Amino acid sequence: MKRIAIFASGSGSNAEKICDYFSGRTDVEVTLILTNNPEAGVIKRARRLHIPVVIFDRKTFYDTERILQLLKNDGIDFIVLAGFMMLIPQYLVNGYTNKIVNIHPALLPKHGGKGMYGHFVHEAVVAAKDTESGITIHFVNERYDEGNIIFQATCEVLPSDSPEDVASKVQVLEHVHFPRVIDEMISK
Ligand code: GAR
């Protein structure tokens, strides 16, 4: 059995899709959800799905290796960042080399880097008058959005689209592809 931990800071719609996708599987399971945000919607979702949640603060994450110890003690094989807004510290990258994946709501290397998350990304796409956007699933290293790209999918952006319109199109792609790509990665 491969054990997945999901890190999320927000609503957790992707986290829930991933949990649903693997529920009933005997070879892969989401066993833990971690968040830095005590108000995150993902906490309610995790409780509804009966998946344990760990809430941690910035100091614990950056000044200690307690999160790595916790993941190793829990036998976690693979880490998924699903709307997790903090940079992954070096000790965690080293502890899970090529075993951490992130989803970014745009076509990297465009519209990535520090401060580029959630609605900021879709606003940047509209401001740049891009004719397409999409999702990027990539390995995580110690720099924002720079790890090797695993998968991209695109959607059309119309001149009349608002950032919210782009966000909706991107979210459809995320929910369709992210669980499936994680499955492929883990099965390799
Ligand atoms: C997703 O769109 C994800 O791509 C994005 O946050 C959203 C989380 O939604 N991640 C980033 O912007 C990372 N830079 P969710 O909480 O509903 O899954």
Side-chain angles (χ1 to χ4, degrees):
M1 169 74 84
K2 294 269 176 67
R3 295 164 71 84
I4 300 177
I6 300 179
F7 284 62
S9 304
S11 141
S13 74
N14 280 283
E16 182 159 1
K17 289 285 173 197
I18 297 161
C19 294
D20 286 349
Y21 178 94
F22 288 107
S23 77
R25 283 270 291 265
T26 52
D27 55 339
V28 184
E29 195 185 357
V30 177
T31 54
L32 193 63
I33 292 185
L34 300 97
T35 186
N36 60 307
N37 175 8
E39 309 292 324
V42 73
I43 297 171
K44 262 198 194 143
R45 294 186 198 257
R47 299 219 161 112
R48 182 156 40 77
L49 296 165
H50 304 291
I51 296 172
V53 185
V54 170
I55 304 170
F56 59 84
D57 59 28
R58 166 170 284 272
K59 213 169 151 46
T60 304
F61 197 47
Y62 288 126
D63 296 352
T64 78
E65 298 194 2
R66 290 223 299 271
I67 296 298
L68 177 62
Q69 287 154 9
L70 186 148
L71 295 167
K72 292 291 181 189
N73 287 344
D74 204 44
I76 298 296
D77 300 293
F78 204 81
I79 297 173
V80 173
L81 310 184
F84 183 62
M85 301 309 174
M86 294 175 81
L87 194 62
I88 298 299
Q90 187 75 57
Y91 73 82
L92 197 47
V93 174
N94 293 347
Y96 282 90
T97 309
N98 288 336
K99 296 232 163 62
I100 312 178
V101 296
N102 179 47
I103 190 157
H104 186 76
L107 297 171
L108 291 175
K110 278 187 116 176
H111 309 303
K114 192 171 165 45
M116 288 305 271
Y117 59 87
H119 67 97
F120 294 112
V121 177
H122 309 303
E123 282 162 13
V125 167
V126 169
K129 299 192 178 1
D130 288 354
T131 55
E132 62 171 15
S133 189
I135 60 169
T136 304
I137 299 169
H138 64 95
F139 286 114
V140 170
N141 62 21
E142 61 291 344
R143 290 180 300 280
Y144 280 111
D145 304 323
E146 285 187 23
N148 286 344
I149 292 174
I150 300 162
F151 176 85
Q152 291 185 307
T154 61
C155 58
E156 195 182 4
V157 177
L158 302 173
S160 57
D161 278 349
S162 65
E164 292 72 27
D165 294 327
V166 180
S168 305
K169 293 179 189 180
V170 166
Q171 192 184 53
V172 169
L173 293 177
E174 293 187 326
H175 290 176
V176 167
H177 293 289
F178 200 19
R180 184 183 64 71
V181 173
I182 293 165
D183 196 4
E184 273 176 28
M185 296 303 307
I186 289 186
S187 309
K188 261 188 194 158

